[in-house]
Amino acid sequence: MKIGFGITGSFCTIPSIYKIIEKIVEDGHEVLPILSTTVATMDTRATKSKEVIETLKRITGKPPVVNLNQAEVVGPSNIIDVIVIAPATGTTISKLANAISDSPITMTAKSLMRNNKPVVIGVSTNDGLGLNMTNIATLMNSKNVYFVPFGQDNFEKKPKSLVADFSKILETVEHALEGKQIQPLLI
């Protein structure tokens, strides 16, 4: 498979995503990393943008897509079969649900959607059971959009927070390419 792998600004989650991408590559799949503008440019206490870019380049053998010019050609050139967005922040989910394509990830995802290719979302948002629930529901009812199984990650301290089980990304992709939502969806 040729997998576009979009990484958005759930910065504390990004280091765990490296392991998932390494496993996908080890399993023989091609991965094209795609970064949100925030991840590509912002240094935080959890990640440094240059380190993220270099780590993904080392793991995948490909430089990440980091701007709209690079993203614009991904869908039409047919170089990926599916895009995974993980971690997918509430902001990214909101943009996709409202047809906003102002980042490399949302532009690539919308391009795949209009060409009937799957978009796989691995939720990671503190507002999933809040205002963003409507956006999640909108995407769940959208053609060719699939979710990695998810649930509450800390219901006592963050009662509205949702996070995907990222270990199920590849299995979700396999189902999505068959036009099926992996089940159970809620964990």
Side-chain angles (χ1 to χ4, degrees):
M1 288 183 284
K2 298 177 200 166
I3 301 170
F5 206 108
I7 299 174
T8 70
S10 179
F11 295 100
C12 294
T13 311
I14 293 172
S16 66
I17 292 299
Y18 296 150
K19 295 177 182 131
I20 304 297
I21 295 172
E22 284 175 342
K23 174 78 170 106
I24 292 170
V25 171
E26 286 171 8
D27 285 353
H29 305 291
E30 251 181 78
V31 175
L32 174 65
I34 305 165
L35 303 180
S36 70
T37 305
T38 305
V39 172
T41 60
M42 181 183 270
D43 292 342
T44 70
R45 60 183 166 83
T47 64
K48 305 291 183 232
S49 59
K50 286 182 183 179
E51 289 174 12
V52 172
I53 291 168
E54 288 305 313
T55 300
L56 290 168
K57 188 175 178 181
R58 178 185 51 77
I59 293 170
T60 66
K62 294 180 171 65
V65 171
V66 297
N67 62 50
L68 291 174
N69 287 338
Q70 294 169 332
E72 188 175 26
V73 299
V74 173
S77 63
N78 210 25
I79 59 174
I80 58 176
D81 303 315
V82 57
I83 185 171
V84 173
I85 306 170
T89 61
T91 300
T92 299
I93 290 166
S94 175
K95 288 178 180 184
L96 287 173
N98 290 285
I100 298 169
S101 57
D102 66 348
S103 80
I105 292 173
T106 56
M107 180 172 280
T108 302
K110 282 187 60 188
S111 176
L112 266 65
M113 283 187 210
R114 77 172 174 262
N115 289 301
N116 293 315
K117 289 189 174 185
V119 174
V120 172
I121 297 174
V123 175
S124 183
T125 176
N126 288 327
D127 189 38
L129 293 175
L131 289 174
N132 241 316
M133 179 52 82
T134 57
N135 296 316
I136 291 170
T138 296
L139 291 174
M140 281 187 174
N141 286 303
S142 297
K143 186 177 178 183
N144 297 317
V145 177
Y146 305 89
F147 282 80
V148 178
F150 62 87
Q152 290 177 280
D153 61 323
N154 186 343
F155 67 88
E156 291 175 335
K157 292 185 179 178
K158 301 186 307 182
K160 295 184 179 190
S161 182
L162 294 175
V163 69
D165 178 353
F166 296 120
S167 70
K168 296 190 179 292
I169 287 175
L170 192 53
E171 189 178 357
T172 304
V173 167
E174 291 166 352
H175 278 76
L177 286 167
E178 294 175 5
K180 299 176 186 172
Q181 172 62 58
I182 190 173
Q183 295 293 337
L185 174 59
L186 299 176
I187 52 174

